[in-house]
């Protein structure tokens, strides 16, 4: 019995040591949440904001296409997984040549079903910068790793085979592109180059590529539609087409392939390849290790102690997701293609980024990036301003460096303003202010390629002070007013009094669509009358009248810059009662309105307009409910498996970034854009969190958040100190964090209703409580 007890104790010690030796990168799992995920989120090999995002694709051209964890087949490994963009799929096959991919849900043998291969699911592995799996077709172990702009494939083939490496351009995804013109050229016995000009809706772009092998190509050819073309050095055409390189393998053979892309030219693709891959001299493991090191350096900027292994897995996986779905589109030499299809030159160390819209990223990505990676935030601002300088407008989210027009308002503005207010200022602030003034004083326009720049329905907004239901969503009024407030704060910081007064007045336009009789944000006609046929739980619409991806109940709480203003209009009791009822009703649905059933799930964390809801109790005198419900969302909405990572639309890292901030117990309802930015306090899940502060922008010291006696049960703050001084308010200034120091929280199982709940304890808002004369902002 004593020996058994000693064995158990020693085993526990060994397990503890192993756990301590794990690095942050070891907790990040790219497979987490890859069932029902978007095209931009997959288990592939990529670097932070990578141009190349090598990943397996196993679905057709459907919503949430790309990789689906529950499908045990793969139809190719493609290079680009950016919003509305794809490019160059690679697939190894053996035996008879088959150039037809085949259906995602069909059998995977025979010509009619294509080259798609089933996989040995137990062999599938993924870690930041790496993906590997064994294909049943030929038992080929296929491994992927990458640098920022170049990919590396390792194919391990057990037997003597006729091996074909298929390069397919016709890639089905959420926004399947039309191939307008394409060409493959075999330039030597080890290298292939080419391009694919493709278009989806307004987004037209050219993917240039260079592919090289460590062994000579035995023969080369391609296909157009269903016709194979063999023994040629060039294949050109449009539509469904691709190329193949054939090899003879020996027993236990390994074929290595490197590739790179560019939107600029084949020459730049080759330069990207040579610059980023040549230093590794065909050493796959060295590239893999480099990717791991880069990711670990980034993830290690936040160190956590305590909590469970599952907590750490969720934390670092969500942190990882916050940096993988947006794309670098400038080459190693700084060249890029602007919105007018002109080749431009910028500084190589100041990349140009592409993405979906920055819609409501002020509640997640903006605050995470600016805290942990102010250098990347600064790069984002410089990228946005470069696009403004060459195109005349700030982009909402430059897909392939195009004006997409996706989503509403211009929420790139809070990203820029928040950066400036936090001291991230390695950009031309006057030019940034000029760009914002143009954005917020000029009605938007349709761009030549069919996209949209600027704000829709803006002429009416400027004349009436709201967007009438005859033109667009009433919710646009709220979003425009928030951006106006952000401009006012930039004006104030720059000492521009006239512009400050102009935009601080416009920031109150949300009041123009608040119905004091029903106490809801309500649709309004151009003549000033309210829409009569109306229900606060419905009327959601992606475009047109109503509320963008939400409803009146949710948007009545959407006022990032002036929560106190809504409290004044709604009344504190109504505000709290309505919000509490919404949380109680939504808890059993895990805060996710599947199928947009907003009438059943008012707190819909699965979409952007509702992501601040749990933090609003800090403003309404009940901060313990913020502590409780941020925990409930982290526990219920977020999971730790491929089947349950995020229940809603993990929109390019936004859900991940929210989790990271909430797990640290920090948030910025106003997006961090006020002249003196501040953080609201929630319920951190770890005993100790250490944030490394960038010396180039901040103090270079560290800030620690300690939660004594914390557990899932002990989620309530009993007392707090900031840098050793008693803190009785549920917020503190950004300047106090980035100067280094500590926030220490004493946690317990029951709420301390006296902490942070007194009059005057609430975080700053544009308005002050009813009856107060002086504005805080």
């Amino acid at each position: 019995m004593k020996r058994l007890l000693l064995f158990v104790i020693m085993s526990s010690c060994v397990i503890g040591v192993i756990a301590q030796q794990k690095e942050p990168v070891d907790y990040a799992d790219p497979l987490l949440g890859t069932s029902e995920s978007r095209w931009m989120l997959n288990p592939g090999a990529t670097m932070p904001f990578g141009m190349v995002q090598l990943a397996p694709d196993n679905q057709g051209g459907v919503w949430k296409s790309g990789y689906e964890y529950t499908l045990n087949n793969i139809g190719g490994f493609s290079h680009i997984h950016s919003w509305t963009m794809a490019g160059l799929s690679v697939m190894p096959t053996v035996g008879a040549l088959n150039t037809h991919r085949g259906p995602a849900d069909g059998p995977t043998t025979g010509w009619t079903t294509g080259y798609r291969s089933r996989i040995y699911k137990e062999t599938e592995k993924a870690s930041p910068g790496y993906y590997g799996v064994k294909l049943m077709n030929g038992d080929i172990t296929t491994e992927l790793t990458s640098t920022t702009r170049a990919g590396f494939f390792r194919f391990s083939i057990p037997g003597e085979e006729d091996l074909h490496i298929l390069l397919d351009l016709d890639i089905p995804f959420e926004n399947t592109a039309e191939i307008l013109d394409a060409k493959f050229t075999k330039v030597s016995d080890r290298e292939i180059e080419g391009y694919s000009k493709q278009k989806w809706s307004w987004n037209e772009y050219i993917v240039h590529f260079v592919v090289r092998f460590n062994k000579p190509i035995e023969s080369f050819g391609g296909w157009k539609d269903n016709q194979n073309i063999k023994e040629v050095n060039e294949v050109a055409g449009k539509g469904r087409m691709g190329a193949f390189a054939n090899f003879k393998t020996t027993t236990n053979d390994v074929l290595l392939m490197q590739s790179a892309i560019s939107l600029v030219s084949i020459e730049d693709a080759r330069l990207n390849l040579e610059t980023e891959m040549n230093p590794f001299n065909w050493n796959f493991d060295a590239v893999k290790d480099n990717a791991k090191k880069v990711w670990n350096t980034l993830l290690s900027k936040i160190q956590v102690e305590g909590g469970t292994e599952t907590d750490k897995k969720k934390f670092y996986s969500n942190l990882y997701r916050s940096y993988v779905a947006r794309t670098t589109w400038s080459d190693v030499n700084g060249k890029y293609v602007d919105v007018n299809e002109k080749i431009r030159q910028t500084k190589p160390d100041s990349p140009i980024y592409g993405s979906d819209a920055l819609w409501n990223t002020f509640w997640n990505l903006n605050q995470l990036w600016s805290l942990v990676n102010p250098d990347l935030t600064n790069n984002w601002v410089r990228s946005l301003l470069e696009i403004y300088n060459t195109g005349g407008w700030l982009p909402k989210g430059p897909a392939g460096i195009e004006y997409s027009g996706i989503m509403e308002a211009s929420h790139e503005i809070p990203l820029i303003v928040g950066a400036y207010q936090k001291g991230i200022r390695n950009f031309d602030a006057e030019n940034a202010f000029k760009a914002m003034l143009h954005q917020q004083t000029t009605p938007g326009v349709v761009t030549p390629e069919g996209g949209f720049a600027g704000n829709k329905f803006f002429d009416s907004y400027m004349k009436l002070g709201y967007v009438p239901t005859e033109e667009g969503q009433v919710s646009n009024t709220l979003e425009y007013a928030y951006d106006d407030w952000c401009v006012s704060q930039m004006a104030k910081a720059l000492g521009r009094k006239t512009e400050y007064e102009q935009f601080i007045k416009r920031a109150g336009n949300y009041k123009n669509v608040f119905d004091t009789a029903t106490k809801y944000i309500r649709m309004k006609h151009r003549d000033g009358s309210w829409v009569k046929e109306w229900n606060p739980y419905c009327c959601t619409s992606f475009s047109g009248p109503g509320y963008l991806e939400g409803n009146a109940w949710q948007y009545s709480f959407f006022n990032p810059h002036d929560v106190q203003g809504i409290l004044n209009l709604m009344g504190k009791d109504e505000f709290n009662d309505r919000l509490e009822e919404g949380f109680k009703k939504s808890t059993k649905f895990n805060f996710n309105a599947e199928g947009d059933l907003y009438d059943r799930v008012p707190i819909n964390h699965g979409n952007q307009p509702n992501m601040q809801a749990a933090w609003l109790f800090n403003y309404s005198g009940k901060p313990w409910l913020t502590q409780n419900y941020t925990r409930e969302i982290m526990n219920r909405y977020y999971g730790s498996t491929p089947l349950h990572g995020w229940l809603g639309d993990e929109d390019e890292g936004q859900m991940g970034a929210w989790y990271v901030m909430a797990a640290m117990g920090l948030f910025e309802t106003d997006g961090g854009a006020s002249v003196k930015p501040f953080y609201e306090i929630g319920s951190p899940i770890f005993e100790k969190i250490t944030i490394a502060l960038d010396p180039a922008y901040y103090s270079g010291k560290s800030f620690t958040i300690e939660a004594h006696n914390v557990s899932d049960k002990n989620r309530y703050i009993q007392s707090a100190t900031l840098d050793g001084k008693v803190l009785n308010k549920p917020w503190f200034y950004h300047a106090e964090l980035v100067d280094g120091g500590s926030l220490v929280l004493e946690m317990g199982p029951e709420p301390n209703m006296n902490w942070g709940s007194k009059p005057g304890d609430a975080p700053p808002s544009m308005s002050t409580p009813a009856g107060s004369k002086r504005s805080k902002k």
Side-chain angles (χ1 to χ4, degrees):
M1 183 66 184
K2 290 181 179 179
R3 288 183 179 179
L4 177 61
L5 181 60
L6 181 61
F7 174 78
V8 171
I9 293 173
M10 291 179 66
S11 298
S12 299
C13 292
V14 170
I15 292 172
V17 170
I18 292 173
Q20 291 174 3
Q21 291 175 343
K22 290 179 71 172
E23 296 181 294
V25 72
D26 298 320
Y27 287 106
D29 181 7
L31 282 165
L32 192 152
T34 52
S35 180
E36 292 290 316
S37 64
R38 296 285 304 279
W39 170 248
M40 301 82 72
L41 292 158
N42 50 66
T46 189
M47 297 287 263
F49 304 143
M51 179 185 291
V52 162
Q53 299 173 350
L54 289 181
D57 302 323
N58 57 18
Q59 298 191 84
V62 297
W63 172 244
K64 293 190 173 181
S65 64
Y67 176 87
E68 166 55 49
Y69 181 80
T70 60
L71 294 179
N72 289 342
N73 70 70
I74 287 175
F77 304 88
S78 60
H79 282 69
I80 299 174
H81 290 82
S82 193
W83 182 64
T84 75
M85 300 178 72
L88 191 60
S89 179
V90 176
M91 189 66 177
T93 70
V94 297
L97 178 67
N98 189 336
T99 58
H100 179 64
R101 178 180 285 108
D105 56 353
T108 53
T109 57
W111 170 262
T112 57
T113 53
Y115 62 70
R116 183 182 300 273
S117 176
R118 294 181 182 177
I119 63 173
Y120 297 99
K121 193 68 176 178
E122 68 277 8
T123 69
E124 189 174 41
K125 297 179 181 178
S127 59
Y130 172 81
Y131 175 85
V133 70
K134 181 182 279 191
L135 307 175
M136 288 188 181
N137 181 354
D139 282 349
I140 303 171
T141 296
T142 301
E143 298 173 277
L144 323 173
T145 190
S146 71
T147 58
T148 298
R149 299 171 180 85
F152 202 150
F153 295 76
R154 181 163 64 187
F155 307 109
S156 299
I157 306 96
E160 297 181 8
E161 298 281 3
D162 291 322
L163 174 66
H164 318 288
I165 302 299
L166 307 181
L167 306 175
D168 202 340
L169 300 179
D170 184 28
I171 303 167
F173 69 114
E174 289 179 353
N175 310 102
T176 300
E178 179 187 1
I179 308 301
L180 304 177
D181 177 36
K183 181 187 288 187
F184 292 89
T185 303
K186 177 188 171 188
V187 295
S188 74
D189 64 353
R190 294 179 186 235
E191 188 171 300
I192 302 165
E193 67 180 26
Y195 66 87
S196 174
K197 183 177 182 179
Q198 45 204 69
K199 182 176 183 178
W200 174 82
S201 185
W202 41 263
N203 193 7
E204 184 174 314
Y205 54 99
I206 304 176
V207 180
H208 305 87
F209 51 84
V210 174
V211 174
R212 67 187 183 188
F213 301 93
N214 70 327
K215 296 180 181 181
I217 300 169
E218 184 175 272
S219 62
F220 177 78
W223 68 89
K224 289 187 283 187
D225 293 322
N226 294 322
Q227 180 184 3
N228 288 344
I229 307 165
K230 299 182 179 181
E231 302 297 339
V232 296
N233 289 327
E234 183 177 288
V235 181
K238 62 181 181 179
R240 181 185 171 269
M241 66 167 295
F244 51 82
N246 298 325
F247 301 84
K248 283 284 187 181
T249 68
T250 59
T251 302
N252 296 324
D253 208 352
V254 175
L255 177 69
L256 302 179
M257 171 184 150
Q258 294 177 342
S259 56
I261 61 173
S262 166
L263 298 187
V264 174
S265 67
I266 291 174
E267 291 73 24
D268 267 22
R270 184 172 285 108
L271 180 64
N272 289 341
L273 180 62
E274 293 174 349
T275 303
E276 295 191 354
M277 279 297 175
N278 282 7
F280 297 102
N281 195 29
W282 285 103
N283 188 330
F284 182 91
D285 290 329
V287 177
K288 175 185 174 184
D289 291 344
N290 176 70
K292 180 178 179 180
K293 181 179 179 181
V294 169
W295 275 113
N296 195 55
T297 299
L298 189 157
L299 299 177
S300 295
K301 292 188 176 184
I302 309 177
Q303 297 279 349
V304 300
E305 301 174 35
T308 65
E309 291 293 284
T310 297
D311 290 335
K312 292 174 182 175
K313 179 180 180 180
K314 288 169 67 173
F315 183 84
Y316 285 113
S317 296
N318 278 286
L319 182 56
Y320 166 78
R321 284 292 180 207
S322 303
Y323 294 87
V324 296
R326 294 165 194 263
T327 313
T328 297
W329 283 127
S330 53
D331 296 326
V332 291
N333 56 8
K335 289 184 179 180
Y336 73 97
V337 180
D338 74 4
V339 296
N340 299 307
E341 313 306 326
K342 294 181 180 180
I343 296 175
R344 299 282 186 174
Q345 178 72 57
T346 187
K347 294 180 180 179
D349 62 352
S350 187
I352 306 301
Y353 295 128
S355 69
D356 193 349
L358 295 164
W359 190 53
N360 294 12
T361 58
F362 49 79
W363 282 337
N364 37 72
L365 291 171
N366 293 14
Q367 48 192 284
L368 175 66
W369 290 346
S370 62
L371 177 60
V372 180
N373 296 97
D375 56 329
L376 295 181
T377 295
N378 197 88
N379 284 345
W380 268 98
V381 175
R382 291 171 67 95
S383 176
L384 294 168
L385 292 179
E386 175 70 13
I387 295 171
Y388 162 73
N389 291 338
T390 58
W393 296 85
L394 290 169
K396 299 175 186 294
I401 318 178
E402 296 280 1
Y403 290 123
S404 69
I406 188 66
M407 311 316 294
E408 304 301 345
S410 295
H411 293 329
E412 65 279 6
I413 288 175
L415 188 153
I416 298 170
V417 175
Y420 185 84
Q421 309 293 33
K422 292 177 179 178
I424 304 169
R425 300 179 177 181
N426 187 20
F427 58 89
D428 186 337
E430 288 295 334
N431 187 49
F433 189 61
K434 178 183 175 183
M436 288 185 275
L437 286 179
H438 177 264
Q439 205 82 1
Q440 292 302 103
T441 57
T442 310
V445 297
V446 176
T447 57
E449 74 279 3
F452 195 92
N455 296 315
K456 301 172 185 175
F457 327 121
F458 213 61
D459 189 52
S460 291
Y461 172 77
M462 290 188 293
K463 292 176 180 177
L464 302 175
Y466 66 94
V467 175
T469 193
E470 287 86 354
E471 293 185 25
Q473 303 98 324
V474 65
S475 58
N476 280 33
T477 303
L478 312 180
E479 301 197 57
Y480 295 161
Y482 170 62
D483 288 343
D484 285 339
W485 174 80
C486 290
V487 175
S488 81
Q489 297 303 287
M490 188 73 169
K492 188 175 184 180
L494 294 174
R496 306 285 287 267
K497 183 178 180 182
T498 300
E499 291 88 346
Y500 169 75
E501 291 177 350
Q502 174 188 358
F503 284 96
I504 199 69
K505 181 180 179 180
R506 278 177 36 169
N509 279 347
Y510 69 90
K511 298 173 186 176
N512 296 335
V513 289
F514 188 90
D515 178 10
T516 56
T518 64
K519 297 187 177 180
Y520 279 104
I521 295 293
R522 189 168 176 178
M523 292 180 288
K524 199 172 192 179
H525 290 295
R526 186 178 283 107
D527 64 7
S529 63
W530 299 111
V531 171
K532 294 180 180 179
E533 298 299 325
W534 173 82
N535 183 319
Y537 287 100
C538 65
C539 301
T540 180
S541 174
F542 185 80
S543 62
Y547 306 84
L548 184 63
E549 298 190 15
N551 60 16
W553 192 98
Q554 294 164 349
Y555 272 105
S556 295
F557 292 104
F558 184 102
N559 206 28
H561 58 295
D562 200 9
V563 178
Q564 185 60 52
I566 292 295
L567 273 161
N568 293 346
L569 291 169
M570 195 180 292
K572 181 181 285 190
D573 289 342
E574 174 69 15
F575 184 99
N576 280 327
D577 290 348
R578 192 185 294 180
L579 201 56
E580 283 186 66
E581 181 184 358
F583 270 99
K584 290 175 182 177
K585 190 174 183 180
S586 304
T587 298
K588 62 181 178 180
F589 296 100
N590 297 324
F591 311 106
N592 183 53
E594 188 174 356
D596 292 338
L597 298 175
Y598 299 121
D599 56 329
R600 297 169 59 191
V601 193
I603 305 297
N604 178 28
H605 191 74
N607 210 351
Q608 285 90 334
N610 219 197
M611 295 182 75
Q612 91 293 13
W615 298 90
L616 297 180
F617 294 109
N618 276 337
Y619 290 82
S620 62
K622 293 188 175 184
W624 63 89
L625 292 180
T626 286
Q627 296 152 34
N628 178 56
Y629 284 119
T630 55
R631 279 295 191 112
E632 288 300 302
I633 291 172
M634 284 188 280
N635 288 345
R636 294 171 180 271
Y637 180 87
Y638 293 89
S640 61
T641 69
L643 299 177
H644 179 196
W646 313 269
L647 295 175
D649 180 9
E650 209 321 16
D651 214 340
E652 298 196 18
Q654 293 198 58
M655 301 296 168
W658 188 97
Y659 181 92
V660 172
M661 294 301 295
M664 294 192 294
L666 302 175
F667 195 71
E668 294 176 309
T669 297
D670 73 358
S674 57
V675 174
K676 293 183 67 176
F678 57 90
Y679 295 99
E680 296 135 61
I681 303 172
S683 180
I685 66 174
F686 298 102
E687 295 170 9
K688 185 176 182 181
I689 300 155
T690 303
I691 305 167
L693 300 169
D694 192 316
Y697 295 89
Y698 302 143
S699 66
K701 301 175 183 178
S702 63
F703 186 83
T704 60
I705 301 167
E706 297 181 41
H708 295 167
N709 199 37
V710 70
S711 66
D712 190 50
K713 181 180 179 182
N714 294 342
R715 61 177 63 179
Y716 297 104
I717 297 173
Q718 308 300 300
S719 62
T721 60
L722 180 65
D723 297 336
K725 298 179 181 178
V726 173
L727 178 67
N728 287 320
K729 297 181 179 182
W731 62 277
F732 63 100
Y733 287 112
H734 168 80
E736 296 173 299
L737 189 158
V738 297
D739 192 42
S742 64
L743 172 68
V744 179
L745 307 173
E746 301 294 334
M747 310 298 290
E750 299 294 333
N752 177 3
M753 297 183 182
N754 293 316
W755 185 83
S757 58
K758 299 179 179 63
D761 285 350
S765 282
M766 187 178 82
S767 298
T768 50
S772 180
K773 296 182 180 180
R774 192 165 60 90
S775 173
K776 293 181 181 178
K777 290 189 182 180

